[in-house]
């Protein structure tokens, strides 16, 4: 029966030895452990502050983007309304013009506007805006010619020619 007591004592001494070595190691390295713990706390605090700052910046950027998108949407709506007005004026001034032709001119203007508005490349956007502007000036010339006392024309010839030139 002595045998199990010896094993028990052996394990007890082994465990106490590990505890003693662990405690000695901890005492010896405690300043380093404390310094590392403090560094972790400081790093965690700095990270938290940076994340809070990034969150604030992100919210503000989202707010600015939302405001810009709302402004852009309002401007786009104004352009579309002016194109609708242009179509109504053309139907009034060119009484004999078939409505589908007026709708096609309106559609062409709306498509040019969409291309100019939504082009991702800045250079292409400027080129498409210039094309839209030329088209609208052509429509304006046709409408202004009627107001200058020139003989009434059945169709907005310059506008139709502009569309045909673009199709070629």
């Amino acid at each position: 029966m002595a045998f199990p007591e010896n094993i028990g004592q052996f394990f007890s001494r082994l465990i106490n030895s590990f505890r003693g070595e662990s405690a000695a190691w901890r005492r010896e390295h405690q300043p380093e452990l404390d310094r590392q713990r403090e560094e972790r706390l400081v790093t965690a605090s700095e990270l938290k502050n940076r994340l809070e700052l990034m969150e604030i910046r992100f919210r503000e950027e989202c707010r600015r983007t939302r405001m810009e998108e709302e402004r852009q949407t309002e401007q786009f709506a104004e352009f579309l309304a002016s194109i609708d007005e242009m179509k109504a004026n053309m139907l009034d001034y060119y009484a004999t013009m078939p409505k589908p032709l007026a709708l096609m001119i309106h559609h062409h203007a709306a498509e040019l506007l969409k291309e100019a508005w939504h082009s991702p490349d800045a250079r292409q956007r400027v080129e498409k805006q210039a094309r839209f502007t030329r088209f609208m000036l052509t429509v304006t010339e046709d409408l202004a010619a009627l107001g200058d006392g020139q003989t009434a024309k059945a169709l907005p010839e310059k506008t139709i020619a502009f569309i045909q030139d673009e199709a070629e």
Side-chain angles (χ1 to χ4, degrees), residues 115-131:
E115 288 175 11
W117 206 270
H118 300 296
S119 181
D121 180 54
R123 192 177 88 227
Q124 285 181 349
R125 187 171 43 251
V126 169
E127 290 171 2
K128 291 177 182 191
Q129 287 171 350
R131 205 167 99 213

Side-chain angles (χ1 to χ4, degrees), residues 63-157:
R63 188 180 64 78
R64 282 190 296 275
T65 301
R66 191 176 305 111
M67 288 172 48
E68 178 61 22
E69 286 299 319
E70 288 171 1
R71 187 183 66 77
Q72 290 282 335
T73 300
E74 284 178 24
Q75 288 179 346
F76 190 75
E78 284 181 55
F79 271 103
L80 288 176
S82 68
I83 292 172
D84 289 345
E85 186 178 315
M86 172 203 69
K87 177 184 70 176
N89 287 339
M90 292 187 95
L91 287 170
D92 286 345
Y93 292 139
Y94 296 101
T96 60
M97 180 171 61
K99 189 172 182 176
L101 185 58
L103 292 172
M104 184 54 68
I105 292 169
H106 175 270
H107 176 73
H108 190 75
E111 287 301 310
L112 288 175
L113 175 64
K114 283 185 224 170
E115 288 175 11
W117 206 270
H118 300 296
S119 181
D121 180 54
R123 192 177 88 227
Q124 285 181 349
R125 187 171 43 251
V126 169
E127 290 171 2
K128 291 177 182 191
Q129 287 171 350
R131 205 167 99 213
F132 173 74
T133 301
R134 284 192 306 275
F135 180 71
M136 294 309 293
L137 287 172
T138 303
V139 170
T140 302
E141 284 179 35
D142 275 339
L143 291 173
L146 293 175
D148 289 342
Q150 294 182 5
T151 58
K153 296 180 182 177
L155 298 172
E157 295 168 1

